[in-house]
Amino acid sequence: MDTPVILKIFSKGKMKDYFVKPEGEMHTDLGIIKLDELKTKNFGDKISSHLGEEFIIQKPRAPDFFIHAKRSGAPMMPKDIGVIISNTGLCSSDQVLDAGTGSGILAIYLGGIAKKVITYEVREEFVEIARNNIALTGLSNIECRHGDIVEEICKLDENEKFDVITLDTIAAARVIPYVPDVIYPGGFLVTYSPFFEQAKEIREAIGKTNYIDVTTIETLEREISFTDRGTRPATARVGHTGFITIARY
Ligand SMILES: C[S@@+](CC[C@H](N)C(=O)[O-])C[C@H]1O[C@@H](n2cnc3c(N)ncnc32)[C@H](O)[C@@H]1O
């Protein structure tokens, strides 16, 4: 194989994983791995370090990019991405408009399901990071464009219409007035906002458009801890991330 892979090993009571390209060497506390050897291996095979420690080779999937991709804007968490996918019924015929791209994590998840994802990022240096992250996934249906979505949404070609529009940007409320012009009837707009104030601003902006229905939710995730003493929700947990507003047109 000549694409990036995940190397996994369970060591000292912990699962460790590494995101690597099949070139050069990697030095770990479990020994040196000759990554060139990956070129002759398949997913599911093992590769050994010079100390004889065996790492399993896996194909990277979207959650691996959430953990290992280079970060710029704070990536959306998988728990919130799941809610977007389930509430929009995202499917393989969907055209998606996304902004801001940030690290490209939401776009990568959406691109794994939808027909096409066009994602806009205003900061040029973030565009480059996102394009590199997207290239590593091997997905060819995600187009990362440089630009301010507030201006760019008005310049879209008249044939560019969308089934799902995702806005994870401070500019969301200023984009919403233009959404009805570019969304297919029955399509979904989803916004993500860390603060109540932004969620309220978004609801007010949606209220001025011809939407059919709208909901704002927050998702909470609790990991369950299993110890000899007992089983219960883990003490440490992800606190607040953001409010998700879902509107149908
Ligand atoms: C929280 S990050 C998005 C993270 C992304 N959803 C992910 O999962 O990786 C917000 C991004 O919006 C970008 N942004 C802010 N205003 C924008 C605008 N008007 N047009 C396009 N992008 C914008 C920021 O530069 C930032 O990268």
Side-chain angles (χ1 to χ4, degrees):
M1 66 193 69
D2 54 3
T3 53
V5 302
I6 297 289
L7 299 183
K8 264 194 161 54
I9 187 163
F10 192 73
S11 167
K12 296 178 193 147
K14 265 200 208 158
M15 186 59 79
K16 290 185 170 186
D17 62 4
Y18 305 85
F19 180 78
V20 296
K21 290 184 185 167
E23 58 199 27
E25 283 185 349
M26 180 171 69
H27 293 241
T28 75
D29 55 342
L30 300 169
I32 301 167
I33 305 168
K34 289 198 162 66
L35 298 174
D36 290 320
E37 284 178 17
L38 287 168
K39 293 194 172 108
T40 59
K41 304 262 185 192
N42 294 309
F43 295 124
D45 288 351
K46 289 182 177 157
I47 186 167
S48 299
S49 72
H50 83 290
L51 297 178
E53 298 281 358
E54 286 192 320
F55 296 70
I56 188 144
I57 305 166
Q58 288 185 336
K59 183 176 161 66
R61 296 176 63 91
D64 299 307
F65 287 96
F66 173 76
I67 294 166
H68 295 287
K70 186 165 177 191
R71 293 189 175 193
S72 54
M76 196 180 288
M77 290 205 54
K79 76 176 178 75
D80 295 318
I81 295 173
V83 162
I84 294 177
I85 292 169
S86 57
N87 280 275
T88 60
L90 190 74
C91 66
S92 60
S93 58
D94 281 347
Q95 304 278 349
V96 180
L97 176 66
D98 171 61
T101 315
S103 315
I105 299 304
L106 174 61
I108 287 170
Y109 272 86
L110 300 175
I113 301 173
K115 183 171 187 192
K116 169 97 187 168
V117 178
I118 295 176
T119 178
Y120 280 93
E121 171 56 51
V122 75
R123 291 181 60 175
E124 203 162 2
E125 69 277 24
F126 287 7
V127 170
E128 202 183 321
I129 292 170
R131 282 185 182 151
N132 287 337
N133 286 340
I134 292 164
L136 290 172
T137 66
L139 290 167
S140 56
N141 60 340
I142 307 172
E143 186 185 338
C144 181
R145 297 181 182 170
H146 177 217
D148 179 338
I149 185 64
V150 184
E151 294 164 12
E152 299 299 326
I153 195 167
C154 307
K155 295 186 208 158
L156 287 168
D157 187 286
E158 61 178 33
N159 300 319
E160 286 185 310
K161 300 265 186 234
F162 303 93
D163 302 283
V164 174
I165 300 179
T166 51
L167 301 174
D168 178 7
T169 154
I170 190 96
R174 289 186 291 128
V175 179
I176 289 166
Y178 307 106
V179 164
D181 299 335
V182 297
I183 199 162
Y184 283 122
F188 283 97
L189 163 71
V190 183
T191 65
Y192 179 85
S193 33
F195 297 104
F196 280 119
E197 288 80 1
Q198 288 164 358
K200 189 156 184 286
E201 199 188 19
I202 282 164
R203 290 293 296 246
E204 283 167 3
I206 291 172
K208 292 181 187 151
T209 64
N210 56 347
Y211 71 99
I212 306 276
D213 56 51
V214 61
T215 324
T216 297
I217 57 173
E218 178 182 15
T219 60
L220 304 178
E221 181 178 87
R222 290 203 298 177
E223 187 178 351
I224 306 303
S225 144
F226 294 84
T227 67
D228 291 343
R229 290 176 57 219
T231 308
R232 64 176 197 183
T235 316
R237 66 181 184 93
V238 175
H240 172 70
T241 54
F243 302 108
I244 297 176
T245 296
I246 306 155
R248 192 149 200 202
Y249 282 82

